[in-house]
Amino acid sequence: MKRTRLHKLGVALACLSLTCAAGAATPPASTAESTGGMLGFTASGATQQHQLEQRFDALLNADEIRGWLKQMSSEPNQVGSPHDKANAEWMLAQFKSWGWDAHIEQFDVLYPTPIHESVELVAPTTFKATLHEPPIKGDSTSALPGALPPYNVYGADGDVTGELVYVNYGMPDDYKELARLGISVKGKIVITRYGGGWRGLKPELAHEHGAIGCLIYSDPRNDGYFTGDPYPVGPTRPPEGVQRGSVMKMQLYPGDPTTPGYGSVPGAKHVPIEDAKTVLKIPVLPISYADATPLLQALGGPDAPENWRGALPFTYHVGAGPAKVHMVVKSDWSLKPIYDVIAKLPGSSAADQWVLRGNHHDGWVFGAFDPLAGMVSELAEAKAMGTLYQQGWRPKRTIVYASWDGEEPGLLGSTEWAETHGKELQQKAVLYLNSDTNGRGMLMAGGSHSYQHLMNQVAASVTDPETKASVQQRQRAFLEVSATEPGASPRFKAMAKQAEKGGDLEIEPLGSGSDYSAFLQHLGIATLDIGFGGEANQGGVYHSRYDDFDHFDRFGDPGFHYEVALAQVAGRIVMRTADAEVLPMRFGDFSTTLDGYIEQMHKLVDSQRKAAEAQHKLLDAGAYKLAADPLHPVAPPERLSDVPKIDFAPLDAAAKKLKASAQAYEKAYHARSEKGLDIPAAQLAQVNQLMGTLEQRLLDEQGLPGRPWYKNMIQAPGELTGYAPKIIPAVHEALDARDWQRADQYAAVTAKTLDNYRAQLDQLTALLKR
């Protein structure tokens, strides 16, 4: 599902990138390991772990992974399809044959599928959209039957006719611009292009502004010939390609809309669809730029603002009208089964601590890139670990591998499983490692900063397939070069400056768009999300029927070196976490990152205050009216509210205390490490239990304002950003909403969660000092 990953490199918002090579020799231990040791291990334990990793790498086979991808993507595998179930049953058999204790957990979820769809231009001319992706010559699977037509799941059914209005990306600032142009979408159908924000926000905001329907198209400027040769010549989206996708209001909660907060096990109570808060109220359909062209050409009204114009060969107009559109959506709203495959390798001395690893297996059609490229790497890891287990390796902690179903509609399989097993997971899970899409390029990482040093140590211990430098060396160079490019964000430049110093590279916070949400943001389990990308340009077939084996084999990862690489990186993370004497976590990294987040809050308020003062000066002087073209008048913007002093004192104080506590922990850990981590077994179990549950202290049981399912007070998806994260979200979104009283309130609430985190960290430090 995760589209944001595909663009981060290009817009200078990259996460930490970590890559390694199929068949390449493992580099020597990193500088971080040679000076400070492999985190969580004794010196002898680190040597044994390196030897285990070399054996693991030798068991990975690119040709085998390629065969699995070809098989699993050989038929449409959307939720409810025969091949989706067949893939789950095949994986179950594989896990068992590799020595894992495996089973399938079924959930019955609301999953609407299209019965009838149509889009027609009825004035001033007529045109009927094809709503179809034709086969492509030379692509062996694009003509296969069984695919559903392009659709946006969880949009409403409807039969509506109205004038058309072009709303650019359909984000809040676009509606402010429309208001200045004197154009309303009330009672009208909007057409918006993909990009600028998560697709689900587009119809939701359209409905909030009074629209009766929404069409979303892929403009070639963002997703087509403007970015490169279209498929089959190149990898980008062809004219008839359509991006399917969910429009569920996941910013409220993911998972089955009719079982909020609890698992949709067979027989569970489902709330009526009309009461499901995450189902939209207007019909919405995705269309290709081939189908969008006649609709946009029929629009009149003012020329679109310059930054609203795409790459289609005509003048973009806003409307409303004279284009009038009739659209119909009718769906089957029945429950459908989904199949999560769960496999375990039992731990030895710490079996009640679990290391979780997941990727989803359902796609929109064939899903070779999204998600099966990540899924087959996970299978390679599982086979290799199973072999090592049969040869006598016994991880200290239990390893749980999951293949989730129903991720594409709304993180269904992972959310329902996590909600069903939430209490046990909060007691036992010490890490959830997620992947999703995968392809040639950098391995981007995000998540819990307490595992940031582990990510860096892994990065420094593996080799990039293309350059043969270490993963960390390549990423360091990438950051330094990219920071000099036009448009690099201040935060990206700060990351590059840190990279120049030679220390650890920072990982990014997580928003939404993949299966980590329930673990990190609802249950408070420390999480990492990883996946290669940025060079393969797989986004051109994202969520279309052309995301298939032939496309991936040509453009995604020729040779499947990065498929092996993902397995190598993920395998190291899982096995190190499972085998470490002390969990490989470092809390000073979180404290340092938190300081940066709080500094961003201070700067945001300062910039808001300066912007308001500057705007007020222009409004009071009548400057907007004087600057406007009299022949094409534009109203001045709405007056911004004054920005008072925000009370960040509780946050500042909590962060300062946490820094001191994190430094005390590091000192205590290093003292123990110098003595060979010689900790009595009962005391060691207490240490690891406190470490494994520490992330839960960042939760507030009341949750974020207006969306209590999200309980993590440090990172969450933004209410108006969708996939993109918001740091210190309750405070940040109050500032965005200019709700200054709420910002003060949640600065104090967030500070309290940080104090709770610090208190448990202090307990941990005291244990280490005994």
Side-chain angles (χ1 to χ4, degrees):
M1 174 184 286
K2 185 160 38 179
R3 182 65 185 273
T4 50
R5 169 179 291 158
L6 305 176
H7 297 292
K8 282 190 175 181
L9 296 177
V11 298
L13 291 171
C15 302
L16 170 65
S17 298
L18 315 167
T19 52
C20 50
T26 301
S30 68
T31 302
E33 289 180 8
S34 62
T35 57
M38 184 185 289
L39 190 62
F41 289 82
T42 63
S44 61
T47 298
Q48 294 173 8
Q49 197 68 21
H50 279 305
Q51 293 170 350
L52 180 70
E53 290 167 2
Q54 289 173 354
R55 291 166 59 199
F56 173 86
D57 288 352
L59 293 168
L60 304 174
N61 186 297
D63 290 337
E64 185 172 50
I65 294 171
R66 184 179 186 274
W68 290 341
L69 184 67
K70 188 171 185 178
Q71 174 185 329
M72 295 187 74
S73 64
S74 61
E75 297 179 38
N77 70 323
Q78 70 274 3
V79 168
S81 68
H83 195 58
D84 182 51
K85 183 179 181 182
N87 275 343
E89 292 173 341
W90 176 80
M91 285 187 290
L92 174 66
Q94 298 304 305
F95 275 114
K96 288 182 175 181
S97 73
W98 300 330
W100 294 69
D101 178 11
H103 65 280
I104 287 178
E105 289 194 38
Q106 177 181 325
F107 298 95
D108 294 337
V109 297
L110 178 70
Y111 179 68
T113 51
I115 295 173
H116 174 70
E117 302 174 340
S118 67
V119 174
E120 296 180 86
L121 180 68
V122 296
T125 59
T126 60
F127 165 76
K128 186 170 184 178
T130 63
L131 306 181
H132 171 68
E133 294 173 303
I136 284 186
K137 186 177 180 180
D139 186 299
S140 61
T141 56
S142 64
L144 291 178
L148 293 173
Y151 61 110
N152 287 129
V153 67
Y154 300 117
D157 283 358
D159 184 334
V160 297
T161 301
E163 286 186 316
L164 194 65
V165 179
Y166 174 55
V167 295
N168 192 29
Y169 293 120
M171 294 291 107
D173 286 346
D174 297 320
Y175 284 98
K176 292 177 183 177
E177 187 69 21
L178 284 175
R180 294 186 67 191
L181 293 170
I183 295 171
S184 169
V185 302
K186 187 173 183 180
K188 299 175 177 65
I189 295 172
V190 304
I191 182 167
T192 173
R193 54 175 168 161
Y194 274 112
W198 182 56
R199 79 180 72 81
L201 294 170
K202 299 172 187 290
E204 180 187 353
L205 290 169
H207 173 251
E208 289 179 3
H209 286 85
I212 58 175
C214 178
L215 300 172
I216 312 177
Y217 81 101
S218 300
D219 195 285
R221 185 175 188 87
N222 314 88
D223 192 7
Y225 54 75
F226 193 83
T227 63
D229 286 325
Y231 191 54
V233 176
T236 74
R237 194 174 301 273
E240 297 84 5
V242 183
Q243 183 191 143
R244 296 156 177 79
S246 177
V247 292
M248 176 195 289
K249 294 174 69 173
M250 280 192 289
Q251 64 270 37
L252 294 182
Y253 59 88
D256 186 339
T258 60
T259 58
Y262 58 94
S264 55
V265 297
K269 180 182 178 182
H270 291 256
V271 301
I273 294 172
E274 57 270 20
D275 295 333
K277 295 180 180 179
T278 57
V279 176
L280 299 191
K281 303 300 183 183
I282 62 172
V284 52
L285 282 174
I287 61 175
S288 66
Y289 59 85
D291 277 342
T293 293
L295 307 182
L296 292 168
Q297 285 179 315
L299 281 170
D303 293 351
E306 185 174 351
N307 62 352
W308 286 34
R309 301 168 194 171
L312 293 170
F314 50 80
T315 301
Y316 284 65
H317 292 272
V318 175
K324 182 178 287 188
V325 168
H326 175 215
M327 67 180 294
V328 179
V329 178
K330 183 179 181 182
S331 306
D332 169 11
W333 289 84
S334 62
L335 299 182
K336 297 176 180 66
I338 58 173
Y339 307 97
D340 288 347
V341 185
I342 309 297
K344 292 183 181 180
L345 282 181
S348 54
S349 59
D352 280 342
Q353 286 198 313
W354 293 358
V355 182
L356 307 175
R357 166 80 172 101
N359 200 103
H360 72 101
H361 64 83
D362 66 295
W364 283 107
V365 190
F366 303 106
F369 165 63
D370 181 11
L372 295 176
M375 188 67 247
V376 292
S377 292
E378 182 181 321
L379 292 176
E381 301 157 32
K383 183 178 181 181
M385 288 182 198
T387 300
L388 294 173
Y389 194 89
Q390 291 167 353
Q391 293 173 350
W393 168 62
R394 294 294 182 268
K396 290 182 174 64
R397 298 174 180 83
T398 296
I399 298 174
V400 181
Y401 266 47
S403 178
W404 309 117
D405 200 357
E407 189 268 1
E408 294 295 0
L411 319 183
L412 304 183
S414 57
T415 300
E416 301 311 315
W417 190 80
E419 289 176 343
T420 300
H421 301 283
K423 185 175 181 180
E424 184 177 24
L425 288 169
Q426 287 185 314
Q427 292 171 347
K428 297 180 178 180
V430 299
L431 172 68
Y432 173 66
L433 174 64
N434 187 70
S435 62
D436 194 327
T437 59
N438 195 56
R440 191 174 65 84
M442 303 286 183
L443 177 59
M444 297 166 281
S448 301
H449 289 83
S450 52
Y451 277 108
Q452 178 172 291
H453 192 55
L454 171 64
M455 288 298 311
N456 275 267
Q457 289 197 329
V458 168
S461 72
V462 294
T463 303
D464 172 65
E466 295 178 311
T467 67
K468 308 307 178 185
S470 80
V471 165
Q472 195 181 54
Q473 287 173 322
R474 188 179 188 204
Q475 177 59 11
R476 197 178 304 280
F478 168 79
L479 286 168
E480 292 171 1
V481 171
S482 299
T484 66
E485 295 177 355
S489 69
R491 186 164 188 275
F492 195 81
K493 291 179 180 179
M495 292 170 65
K497 188 175 182 179
Q498 180 65 30
E500 291 174 3
K501 296 178 181 178
D504 279 356
L505 304 177
E506 187 177 339
I507 65 175
E508 287 287 305
L510 293 177
S512 185
S514 198
D515 286 304
Y516 50 74
S517 277
F519 300 97
L520 176 65
Q521 295 151 352
H522 185 64
L523 296 179
I525 295 166
T527 294
L528 290 171
D529 178 58
I530 62 175
F532 291 94
E535 294 177 341
N537 205 353
Q538 286 294 109
V541 293
Y542 177 73
H543 286 191
S544 78
R545 75 178 297 127
Y546 309 125
D547 176 9
D548 59 17
F549 177 81
D550 286 350
H551 190 283
F552 188 84
D553 197 33
R554 286 182 60 195
F555 301 109
D557 183 19
F560 282 66
H561 303 300
Y562 283 95
E563 297 304 289
V564 175
L566 178 59
Q568 288 178 306
V569 173
R572 281 163 167 73
I573 294 169
V574 169
M575 292 191 297
R576 291 189 188 191
T577 308
D579 284 338
E581 288 291 325
V582 175
L583 283 169
M585 306 173 77
R586 201 171 75 171
F587 306 106
D589 296 324
F590 170 62
S591 173
T592 299
T593 303
L594 177 69
D595 289 344
Y597 290 169
I598 294 174
E599 182 182 1
Q600 287 183 52
M601 296 298 101
H602 282 280
K603 289 181 177 178
L604 174 60
V605 171
D606 289 343
S607 66
Q608 287 179 313
R609 183 176 293 110
K610 290 177 181 177
E613 291 170 352
Q615 187 216 46
H616 295 172
K617 183 178 179 180
L618 292 172
L619 286 170
D620 293 343
Y624 288 101
K625 184 177 180 180
L626 289 171
D629 182 347
L631 299 180
H632 304 281
V634 176
E638 184 178 349
R639 190 180 187 90
L640 295 171
S641 60
D642 291 321
V643 181
K645 182 179 184 301
I646 304 300
D647 186 8
F648 286 134
L651 269 179
D652 293 334
K656 184 177 181 180
K657 293 175 184 177
L658 177 58
K659 180 175 284 295
S661 292
Q663 290 171 345
Y665 167 80
E666 298 297 339
K667 183 177 180 180
Y669 172 81
H670 285 302
R672 280 287 190 178
S673 181
E674 289 174 356
K675 297 177 181 180
L677 295 176
D678 183 19
I679 305 173
Q683 184 179 341
L684 181 61
Q686 287 181 286
V687 166
N688 283 317
Q689 193 275 334
L690 286 172
M691 294 178 78
T693 58
L694 190 53
E695 194 89 7
Q696 293 175 40
R697 303 290 81 79
L698 298 176
L699 304 184
D700 180 76
E701 281 308 307
Q702 300 303 311
L704 298 182
R707 43 194 191 125
W709 188 91
Y710 291 99
K711 300 181 184 300
N712 192 309
M713 303 305 286
I714 303 302
Q715 49 184 306
E719 193 168 12
L720 290 175
T721 59
Y723 290 171
K726 282 286 186 179
I727 54 171
I728 314 181
V731 178
H732 199 159
E733 295 195 318
L735 296 176
D736 290 344
R738 309 182 80 80
D739 189 336
W740 315 120
Q741 183 177 356
R742 175 154 58 97
D744 283 342
Q745 175 188 349
Y746 278 93
V749 171
T750 304
K752 183 178 179 181
T753 66
L754 292 172
D755 287 340
N756 293 338
Y757 183 95
R758 175 179 54 81
Q760 184 160 318
L761 180 58
D762 288 344
Q763 293 178 45
L764 173 59
T765 303
L767 266 177
L768 285 174
K769 287 181 176 179
R770 285 185 190 174

